[in-house]
Structures are given as C-alpha cells and as structure tokens.
Amino acid sequence: MGMHNKIDDAIDNISKKIIAYNEHRKLFQDLFRKVKKSLNPSEFPSAFGIKTKDSFFTVKVPKTNIDGLKVAGVDGGVIHRTLNYFDIALIRAVGVLFLHQKDDKPQVRYFPEEQPFPDILTSIEPLSQNEIDTLISIWRMQKEIRCGISLLEEDMPDIIILDGSVLPFIDYKQVNQSEFLMSQYRNLKTLYRRLYSLCEKNRTALCGVVKDSRSAILTNKLAALLPHLGKMPEFEQLLKIDYRPIVKQLRDTDLLYQVLDVDERTFEFFLSNFNDDTDQELKDFDIHCFYLKTAEFDAPLRVEFPLLFSNQHDLAQKISALVIAVSRYNPEYGLPSVIIEADARARLQETDADILVDEISAKIGYSSFSLQRRRSRLPFKAGD
Amino acid sequence: MARKSIGTIIVGEDNSPNPSEFNFVLTKSEEEFQLEKGMYVIVPCDDGEIIATVSDVYKTNRYFSSPSAVRAYETSGKTLASIFPADRWEHIIAKAKPLGIITDLGIQRLLFPVSPGETVFIPESKVLQKFLGLEKTNGINLGKIEQHDVEVQLNLTRFLQKHAAILAISGAGKSYTVSVMLEELLSRPKKQGRIAMVLFDVHGEYKGLGDEESPFYKHIEIFPAAAIQFGTHALRARQFAIFEPQITSVQTRELSKILNKLFEEKTKKNETYTISDIVKELEADEHINQRSKEALIGWLYTLEETRLFGASEYPVLEKILEPGKLVIFDLSEFTSLKLKQMIVSYILYRIFDYRKKGKIPPTAIIMEESHQFCPEARLELAISRPIIETIAREGRKFFTSLVLISQRPVKMSTTALSQCNTHIIMKVLNPYDLDFIGRSSEGIDRATLNTITGLGVGEAVIVGNAVNHPIFVKVRKRKTTTMDTQTLEESAINFDT
C-alpha cells in the first residue's frame, strides 16, 4: 500500500468520524432545544451544585432603550519579548465610554486617553516560562483594572464591561510557589476589590464578557443531571439516544449555540467566590454568570458579574439587557461595541516590541539578534 | 512664519518610501488643514530639503475596511457610524512623488528614499518659488499655485523668449488668461524691460481693453481689419507667391525682376507704387513670356481686389510698435480666412523684418485661434504658416516671441507648436488634442496629462521652459473687464428691441 493510499484512508476515517459525531451532536442539541423550557434550574437538587433563582433554563432578555445611558468597556493589549537575561512586556489598557444618544452616534470618552503610550515592564526574576506567562497575565490584568478604576473615578457609567473574566483567573498553585508572583497577585486582587467597591458605590453594573469560553461547567452539571430526568415524559426521547459521550465532549458554548435563541440567556448561576486563601477575613463577593446569545451566527457570550448591589436575578436581567443592546448589531459577531472599540485602541503591534528591543540593543551595543533566545532566532525556519 | 508640519512619513504596502514615492499620514485634522491632490510638500533631510507633490490622497478607516462586516452591522438598521466612533478612526493618507532635493549645490535628483517617521511640512513661498523657478517679484503674475498662497510669477525671458502656447477647449478661459498676461506686460515699468505686443483678435474679444475706462487705455491701439493696408513696395515676389500659391517659381522670378526695377526707380524719386504700377510695368515688359505675363497680371488683379494693397503701409508698424504698448489687429469683421491669413502674414513678415533690423522693440505676437493661421494644411490654405514657422524657429534670436492660442492643437503646425517651449494648458477634452499635447509638451508626464480633462474654468497647468516642474495655477482676476459677458438671452433681447 502506497503512502498516498494510507493518507487517503486516514482522511476518510477521520471524516466519517467527524460526520457521525456531528450528526449525533446535532440530534442531541435539537432534542435538548425542544425540552429546554421544561427545565426549572431553581428546583435542581442542590447536590448538582447549581445555585440559581431563575426558574427557566433559558430566559428572554428584556429589550432596553440605551439612549442616555453610559456604557463603558475596558480592554488591554500586551506584547512580550523574552531576551537573554530578562523579560520585557509592553502593556496598555484603554477604557472606552459611550454615551448613547437618540438618533445620533455615541459621544465617546477614552481613559486614560485615545491612544495611551504602553507601560514597559521588565523582570529579571528567575521564572519558568509558565511563570513568566502568568506574570505577564497579572500585569495585563492590573493595567486593565487600574484603567477601569480610573474610569469609575472620573465618570459614572451605567455599566462597565471588561473583556474577559470578571475574576482574576490565575493558576493559584503556580502563584503560590513564587513569592514575587504572589505579591503581584495580591496587588491584583486589591485592585479588583477597589473596582468592585467603586461599582457598588456608584451603582454601576460590572460584568466581564468571555467570547470564546472553553468552560464546560454547565454541560458537566447537565451530564450529571440528565439521568435523573428520565421520569419526565419530555426527556424520554432525549435519553433514548447515547447522549453521554456527547455531553462529555461538549463545551458550554457548543451546546448553547444551538439551544439559545438570539436575545436569550441561560439561567444565571453561582460561579465562584471572589475570595481565596489570600483573602482571609476580607469581604467576599459572589460571582455569578450566564450565557447570552447576542448574534445569530456567533457563539454565546459567557457573562460573569459580581453580586454587588442588587439581587442576582435583577442584576442578571439588567446586565443581559445592556450587553445585548450594545452587542446585537452584527448577526455574525456579537461582541459589545465598547469592547470592540477598546480592543482596537489597546491592541499592540509586534513591531512595537521589535522597535523597543532594537533600541535597547543599540544602547547596550548588542545586536538585537544576539539578545534573543536561541529558539527565537532559528537560522532556518519554515516558510523562509 | 514658522513652517507648518502636516504629516509623518509611514511605511507603505507599495514598498515605499522609495526614491520615487512615499506615503504620509496627515497628522492635522481636516478642520486644521485640508490636504489636496497636487499640493507641494517638503521633507527636511541631512542633505537638504526634499520637495514633492501629493499625487493622491485617500482615507482609511478600520471600521469600514471589511465590506462584509459593514454589511452585517448595517443589517441591524443602524449605520456603522452610529454604533461606533468610526470617525475617530479615519486617517488621511497621501501618496507623494519626490521632485528633487534642494541642496547647497542647487536642485538635484533624489536618489535615496526619505525615512519613515520624518515630518512632512508645507513649504514656505520662497522655497516653492525657488524650486519651481518662479520670480519673487517683477515676473509675469498669472495667478496663484493651486492650493498654495504662492504667486506664479514667470520670468519674462523664460516664458516668452522661446515662445509659448495656450491650449484649451472653448470656454476654459484662454482669452481671460491672455488678458491677464497682457495686463502684466502692460504694467511693467521701464526699468524691468518692456516689450511691444501685437495681438490678432479674431473675434473682437479684446476691443474693450482699449476703452477709455481701461487703466491701460493710453497704451493700447486697435486697428480694425478694414483699415489695414499693405505697403505694396514692401513686398517681395516671394510674398506675392505665398498670397497666390499658384504663381510658379518661374513667374516668381519674372515678377521679382519687375519689382526690383520698380523699387529702384521709385525709391530714387522718393515715391512708392501700387499693384496697378506693377501691372503696367508687366504689360510694358517685352521679355516676359506672354502666358506668364497674362497669368501674373490675372493674379495681381485678384490680389488687388482684396483692397489690402496700397501705396503705403497702414498702420506704419515701425511707428506704432513701442515698448510697453499693445497693438490689436481686430480681424473680427473679416469673414474670409484667406484675407485674415494674408493680413497676419504681411504684419508678421514686417515685424520680423523690423526686429532683425532693430527698428522696433522686442515684440510678443499673440495669436488667437492659431490653428486657423498655422494649420498643418497645404499652403494655399495656410498662407500665414510659413512666416509663423519662421518666427517660431528663428524668433528667439531676435526677441520676437509668439504666443499661440488654440482650442485645436492637433490641427496646428507641428513645427510651430513644438517651438513653443512653454505651454499653458487649460481644460482639454478631445482625446486627439490631449494625445497631441502629451507628445508635443516637453516635461508633461502621464499623471499631469490625466488631470487636464478635470481642470476647471480658469485653472491651468504650466509646463516647459518657464517653470522647473509642471505647475497647476489658478489664473488671477483681471484688472480690466473687457470681455463681452452677455448671455444668449440678453443678446437676443438686445437684437429684438
């Protein structure tokens, strides 16, 4: 058997598997879509770990008029270079505030400014690559949260939307192993607390939107829950199919892309506490989340929010209504307009870092090439 | 005044900056500065200052760069501009074409690229004037460089010594431009050097220049075509042969003998002669072949019937052509093209002769509808062409300059037009004329040629000897109001009442 035949067979097998899986998955999604209205998450046994006050699996988001409302968004940009002896990162964050006006384009304010000069941060700590990545991530979050704080100190938006999680998502185990990282992490958590308390004081809704969530928290809980729903006639058909491997492989957004309609969200549910081992005796915050379908042909957004000044249902309704209102312009891309603008303003180009490295090299009399680590300067690269 | 910075050079996707092109982003807002195609910009560098023209201007906006995204967003019923602060992402990018570099050694060709990040400025007037070869004062002020507050003052010698042509469609402002040029020439003080001007006014458009209200009234003299008389004694046989091209060379030689004899006899007696005298002399001569004699007499009678030939010349060109004075020959009353060509031929012949002898001042001859007087046609239809071509070829040595004006350059004598070293080109639409201009105008590039169809009324591009680079000029306002600006309706009402 020739090489070509082997490849053809392999391709054939893989294609068949994918088609079969997709058909199976589609069947499950369609069936689940049919029964979604029969599920009452508030009645789920507590053993399944779903804490919610919403009595439907999917909730229609109320339409809201955003004329006169101030919607803010914060995003950051980072470029990182590892040189021989140290790490260098260019980081900036931009806050964008749209004051929506009737029959007119939004009035815009930028924080700290339209195109801020990036911070240049360096580290000579002896950190592993993973630790470095964590450090850069912390630095970026610090910058973003500081930006959000300065925005809230200068203005009072109705909602502030962060790009990404509303929690400092960090590998805590890793942070715990480095004193330097831990100090940076503590600093970050302090900043989050400051942001939350400002939002609470101003009664500004705060949320984070995660566009391509890989979370499977909901599908995992469903996988555990579904076998117990066999007695309900609506679920009979669903449970007849071999759903277990599908639910096991599905991420939340994969399932919900088919299950949610536009302008619909899932029930909100408790995600996590803000506090961890580093926050002993400090005020804690409950972080909740839901998935929101903002665009017909785009995956649902995962929206996270701390419970600050309202009950969880009301806050979820308010946040979902505002996020939908500023996200549902494009049927193929359902991200809030303030985040799109903030992303564009904060984004850094690779060339920005190159220029910086070149300048440093020129100052110290090295060629920038020799400064870079060996794997960054492979003499023969694919495509060269 | 401080030099005005307007932009910064960027790296373009078209391998720019390079020695023949660079791109820059406008760093001023549109309210602060309106960047336009055709503007001059300057970029300082170690060797001097690079001067360039803006060859194109375009806008970018990341929000509108993807057609599918624009369409998708606007299906919401709202415009993209009402959802996002899209106007804040609008950038104006200009493509610029370096023309040269001003160094201590003079103007040199640019052989290296400008550097990305360099600041782009608007040049000061004096820099632009120096680079383009314009006079700061005392030049022929035709107007201002489009988009710049810089007067286009052409050096008189560079502009006129090697002749000029003004080419455009009807209504583009040729005659207006001529009036401006004449005002400038008429305004020159003695110390700057004044020349005499002769204008052939085919349509009677310039009569008003000599009105009493005109500030130049005392320096203008107008002669209607009917009053013009040739001094027969001043004509040689060769010229008669040009007026009547059917006269053969043998007959021309016979006529020449008769004219020499008459000239000798009459000059001794301090007398002149007419065509009748020539005919009498021909009839009396027994050596001339009878058939030649009859033919010559027949043609001479034909010429006499034009009533242009007399015993003496009127006006006396030697006397009326003075420095700083404009003489207008109003040919509008004549319908016969042949008669008009004969007048032009005679006057030019005389002027050139006088100039060679130094009897009249350096003279500029301005000729409206030049394609009528020096067409690329057979001689009997182009009586005035030989003298025009002669002056075109040899006039610069004797400071006799031509300013040929035409709306159909393609029909003009190539010899004459190619000797016009400066072209003022206004709006031209005919593709044959455009092509002809492209081939006959030295220094005009394809990009400049392409802009000619889009020129507005009163806008012109000057190329050739008078300037170092093609210049787009907005012709200045006239000081005189000589043109007949009646509308068709007004003219009809006037006739009817």
Side-chain angles (χ1 to χ4, degrees):
Chain A
M1 196 186 237
M3 176 70 93
H4 285 294
N5 289 341
K6 281 184 181 172
I7 291 171
D8 287 346
D9 286 350
I11 291 170
D12 215 31
N13 283 335
I14 293 166
S15 306
K16 278 178 187 163
K17 275 183 188 168
I18 291 171
I19 290 167
Y21 172 73
N22 280 346
E23 282 173 356
H24 204 179
R25 191 182 66 169
K26 179 84 170 42
L27 179 64
F28 175 77
Q29 285 168 330
D30 288 346
L31 289 170
F32 192 85
R33 194 178 156 78
K34 280 182 191 165
V35 301
K36 68 180 185 181
K37 291 204 188 314
S38 310
L39 285 171
N40 182 349
S42 63
E43 292 177 350
F44 289 163
S46 57
F48 295 106
I50 296 175
K51 285 194 273 177
T52 181
K53 293 206 170 147
D54 283 334
S55 48
F56 293 99
F57 188 86
T58 61
V59 181
K60 186 82 183 164
V61 175
K63 280 207 166 141
T64 190
N65 183 356
I66 55 169
D67 294 342
L69 294 187
K70 288 178 178 177
V71 179
V74 177
D75 195 10
V78 61
I79 297 274
H80 165 224
R81 288 281 186 279
T82 299
L83 304 180
N84 267 343
Y85 307 110
F86 65 100
D87 287 274
I88 183 163
L90 273 73
I91 298 175
R92 76 171 158 208
V94 177
V96 177
L97 189 140
F98 285 8
L99 168 57
H100 290 276
Q101 304 177 104
K102 195 178 181 191
D103 302 328
D104 201 1
K105 62 185 176 188
Q107 274 184 21
V108 187
R109 280 190 73 188
Y110 295 95
F111 300 85
E113 58 190 288
E114 202 166 314
Q115 207 85 48
F117 192 79
D119 286 353
I120 301 166
L121 302 176
T122 54
S123 166
I124 49 169
E125 296 287 324
L127 300 173
S128 69
Q129 186 58 48
N130 286 343
E131 287 170 333
I132 281 295
D133 292 343
T134 303
L135 177 65
I136 303 284
S137 195
I138 291 173
W139 278 347
R140 174 183 163 139
M141 282 188 273
Q142 285 176 347
K143 188 74 187 160
E144 287 175 359
I145 301 305
R146 274 200 196 98
C147 178
I149 290 167
S150 70
L151 192 153
L152 287 163
E153 284 170 345
E154 287 187 39
D155 214 317
M156 288 178 67
D158 294 279
I159 184 168
I160 182 163
I161 305 170
L162 306 181
D163 182 45
S165 179
V166 80
L167 278 167
F169 259 127
I170 293 295
D171 183 349
Y172 183 71
K173 276 184 194 164
Q174 190 177 61
V175 168
N176 210 11
Q177 286 167 6
S178 157
E179 207 172 303
F180 175 67
L181 282 181
M182 183 51 85
S183 70
Q184 294 290 330
Y185 178 64
R186 282 205 191 95
N187 184 284
L188 175 63
K189 291 215 78 174
T190 308
L191 289 170
Y192 268 95
R193 284 181 184 284
R194 172 87 182 128
L195 179 77
Y196 291 175
S197 60
L198 273 172
C199 286
E200 197 167 21
K201 187 178 144 204
N202 293 352
R203 296 189 70 78
T204 295
L206 171 67
C207 71
V209 292
V210 185
K211 26 183 191 293
D212 296 311
S213 168
R214 297 176 68 82
S215 168
I217 184 169
L218 209 56
T219 49
N220 285 344
K221 289 182 193 301
L222 277 175
L225 183 69
L226 280 175
H228 301 275
L229 301 174
K231 289 175 189 165
M232 295 168 74
E234 298 91 335
F235 288 85
E236 218 173 285
Q237 213 181 344
L238 178 73
L239 296 173
K240 274 183 192 167
I241 65 168
D242 185 12
Y243 66 88
R244 283 183 181 83
I246 298 169
V247 178
K248 216 172 162 185
Q249 286 169 331
L250 275 181
R251 293 189 191 102
D252 292 350
T253 49
D254 294 335
L255 171 70
L256 296 168
Y257 177 69
Q258 293 289 348
V259 171
L260 287 174
D261 290 324
V262 176
D263 295 346
E264 242 180 16
R265 67 171 173 85
T266 61
F267 62 97
E268 60 77 31
F269 54 94
F270 172 80
L271 180 68
S272 161
N273 286 107
F274 176 75
N275 280 3
D276 55 30
D277 294 348
T278 62
D279 305 301
Q280 285 167 6
E281 295 180 18
L282 289 170
K283 182 187 172 185
D284 200 3
F285 297 91
D286 283 355
I287 308 296
H288 284 238
C289 90
F290 57 83
Y291 288 90
L292 178 67
K293 178 93 166 162
T294 53
E296 189 179 356
F297 305 109
D298 200 1
L301 295 176
R302 174 188 163 101
V303 182
E304 301 173 0
F305 59 100
L307 275 186
L308 294 176
F309 53 82
S310 184
N311 74 59
Q312 62 212 67
H313 175 78
D314 290 351
L315 206 48
Q317 285 297 79
K318 179 180 178 176
I319 288 170
S320 58
L322 288 171
V323 172
I324 275 280
V326 296
S327 306
R328 68 181 314 277
Y329 304 110
N330 183 344
E332 291 158 15
Y333 197 75
L335 209 59
S337 52
V338 282
I339 292 296
I340 293 173
E341 176 68 12
D343 170 76
R345 292 288 174 196
R347 186 169 293 173
L348 288 161
Q349 305 293 326
E350 290 291 333
T351 48
D352 296 335
D354 292 340
I355 291 167
L356 186 71
V357 171
D358 288 347
E359 287 295 316
I360 292 168
S361 314
K363 276 257 189 305
I364 61 176
Y366 279 43
S367 80
S368 64
F369 186 71
S370 62
L371 265 178
Q372 289 171 45
R373 293 197 305 183
R374 193 173 290 122
R375 74 173 174 199
S376 310
R377 49 185 172 93
L378 259 178
F380 308 107
K381 288 181 194 166
D384 273 3
Chain B
M1 205 173 79
R3 181 175 275 188
K4 190 174 184 179
S5 72
I6 57 157
T8 301
I9 294 173
I10 57 170
V11 174
E13 288 171 3
D14 47 359
N15 285 336
S16 77
N18 59 54
S20 45
E21 191 174 60
F22 64 83
N23 293 298
F24 65 92
V25 60
L26 191 69
T27 47
K28 300 276 181 210
S29 71
E30 278 188 279
E31 289 74 35
E32 288 173 293
F33 185 76
Q34 183 81 42
L35 183 69
E36 292 173 9
K37 188 174 171 178
M39 273 184 170
Y40 293 92
V41 293
I42 205 157
V43 183
C45 66
D46 291 345
D47 296 344
E49 291 182 316
I50 295 157
I51 193 156
T53 51
V54 174
S55 57
D56 208 355
V57 185
Y58 62 95
K59 288 183 175 178
T60 64
N61 192 318
R62 67 179 293 279
Y63 274 116
F64 296 98
S65 58
S66 161
S68 58
V70 173
R71 189 158 177 245
Y73 271 101
E74 301 210 345
T75 52
S76 69
K78 296 188 90 177
T79 61
L80 205 57
S82 69
I83 300 168
F84 294 102
D87 53 339
R88 294 202 181 223
W89 286 91
E90 186 170 292
H91 300 295
I92 297 176
I93 311 284
K95 275 185 187 296
K97 188 180 165 195
L99 301 173
I101 177 166
I102 305 172
T103 68
D104 294 339
L105 303 170
I107 295 163
Q108 297 183 335
R109 205 151 55 92
L110 185 68
L111 299 171
F112 57 88
V114 293
S115 296
E118 291 287 352
T119 305
V120 179
F121 296 89
I122 286 293
E124 299 98 324
S125 301
K126 61 179 182 185
V127 174
L128 211 48
Q129 282 164 334
K130 182 183 173 189
F131 185 79
L132 296 170
L134 301 173
E135 296 282 301
K136 288 189 187 111
T137 53
N138 305 338
I140 305 297
N141 179 5
L142 292 184
K144 285 190 172 171
I145 295 177
E146 293 230 35
Q147 303 126 342
H148 292 269
D149 191 22
V150 176
E151 286 182 344
V152 177
Q153 295 217 24
L154 303 179
N155 175 281
L156 183 68
T157 303
R158 288 182 66 178
F159 178 34
L160 289 181
Q161 190 186 5
K162 291 184 183 174
H163 317 295
I166 302 176
L167 310 171
I169 57 164
S170 181
K174 294 188 297 289
S175 305
Y176 195 104
T177 307
V178 170
S179 298
V180 169
M181 182 188 76
L182 289 172
E183 284 177 5
E184 288 293 311
L185 291 169
L186 285 164
S187 305
R188 285 176 78 81
K190 194 175 177 178
K191 63 178 180 186
Q192 286 175 9
R194 298 179 304 175
I195 59 170
M197 292 147 270
V198 172
L199 169 70
F200 293 100
D201 184 4
V202 180
H203 302 298
E205 292 172 289
Y206 298 90
K207 280 186 223 168
L209 271 174
D211 284 349
E212 285 185 30
E213 300 82 40
S214 163
F216 308 108
Y217 165 66
K218 289 182 181 168
H219 304 283
I220 295 170
E221 207 167 350
I222 301 173
F223 296 95
I228 296 166
Q229 190 171 280
F230 301 170
T232 311
H233 65 282
L235 294 165
R236 295 283 165 266
R238 185 170 44 84
Q239 285 163 293
F240 281 103
I242 290 171
F243 292 153
E244 272 304 337
Q246 293 172 84
I247 298 176
T248 64
S249 52
V250 177
Q251 289 161 352
T252 306
R253 276 202 302 276
E254 299 296 354
L255 181 62
S256 184
K257 285 179 200 162
I258 298 294
L259 291 179
N260 287 342
K261 188 180 170 197
L262 258 178
F263 190 79
E264 207 172 299
E265 285 172 9
K266 296 286 183 185
T267 308
K268 275 182 192 167
K269 296 178 197 167
N270 212 15
E271 290 175 356
T272 58
Y273 54 84
T274 63
I275 284 189
S276 301
D277 295 324
I278 302 169
V279 170
K280 275 183 203 163
E281 198 63 38
L282 267 170
E283 283 170 340
D285 196 304
E286 292 173 354
H287 302 292
I288 301 174
N289 173 295
Q290 191 58 29
R291 285 180 66 182
S292 289
K293 186 189 287 186
E294 284 171 9
L296 272 171
I297 290 169
W299 286 315
L300 285 170
Y301 276 133
T302 307
L303 289 176
E304 195 172 29
E305 279 171 15
T306 63
R307 297 169 191 266
L308 287 171
F309 297 82
S312 60
E313 179 179 273
Y314 183 82
V316 182
L317 293 166
E318 192 180 353
K319 289 187 177 164
I320 60 166
L321 290 176
E322 296 170 15
K325 185 178 166 185
L326 167 65
V327 174
I328 299 174
F329 293 104
D330 177 9
L331 307 181
S332 62
E333 287 169 21
F334 275 19
T335 50
S336 163
L337 180 60
K338 181 175 178 180
L339 291 189
K340 287 192 269 192
Q341 287 185 346
M342 284 172 68
I343 290 172
V344 168
S345 177
Y346 174 81
I347 291 171
L348 294 193
Y349 159 74
R350 296 287 285 158
I351 287 173
F352 196 41
D353 193 40
Y354 281 136
R355 259 314 293 159
K356 284 199 267 193
K357 291 170 182 162
K359 289 184 175 178
I360 57 169
T363 303
I365 298 152
I366 300 112
M367 193 170 292
E368 279 275 3
E369 306 286 359
S370 292
H371 54 277
Q372 290 186 10
F373 299 103
C374 56
E376 200 69 85
R378 52 185 206 277
L379 194 56
E380 53 265 42
L381 301 174
I383 290 167
S384 45
R385 190 182 68 211
I387 183 64
I388 292 173
E389 288 184 342
T390 301
I391 295 174
R393 279 192 306 268
E394 301 169 24
R396 69 181 178 89
K397 293 177 225 161
F398 304 100
F399 299 107
T400 308
S401 305
L402 289 170
V403 180
L404 302 179
I405 303 150
S406 177
Q407 53 184 294
R408 292 311 316 275
V410 74
K411 293 193 170 179
M412 281 174 72
S413 151
T414 314
T415 307
L417 192 59
S418 64
Q419 294 295 323
C420 294
N421 277 232
T422 297
H423 286 185
I424 298 176
I425 305 161
M426 306 181 87
K427 186 168 188 158
V428 173
L429 294 172
N430 186 304
Y432 297 105
D433 286 324
L434 266 177
D435 186 50
F436 189 73
I437 288 168
R439 284 187 279 119
S440 60
S441 294
E442 282 176 27
I444 198 165
D445 56 14
R446 179 52 57 184
T448 309
L449 198 64
N450 288 343
T451 60
I452 290 173
T453 51
L455 291 172
V457 174
E459 293 175 334
V461 56
I462 304 175
V463 293
N465 197 52
V467 288
N468 294 341
H469 288 277
I471 295 177
F472 286 89
V473 58
K474 181 83 184 163
V475 177
R476 72 160 171 80
K477 280 201 165 185
R478 279 192 317 241
K479 292 170 188 162
T480 51
T481 51
T482 58
M483 302 291 182
D484 185 1
T485 52
Q486 263 190 351
T487 63
L488 181 58
E489 289 86 344
E490 286 165 348
S491 181
I493 292 164
N494 284 346
F495 184 83
D496 221 9
T497 49

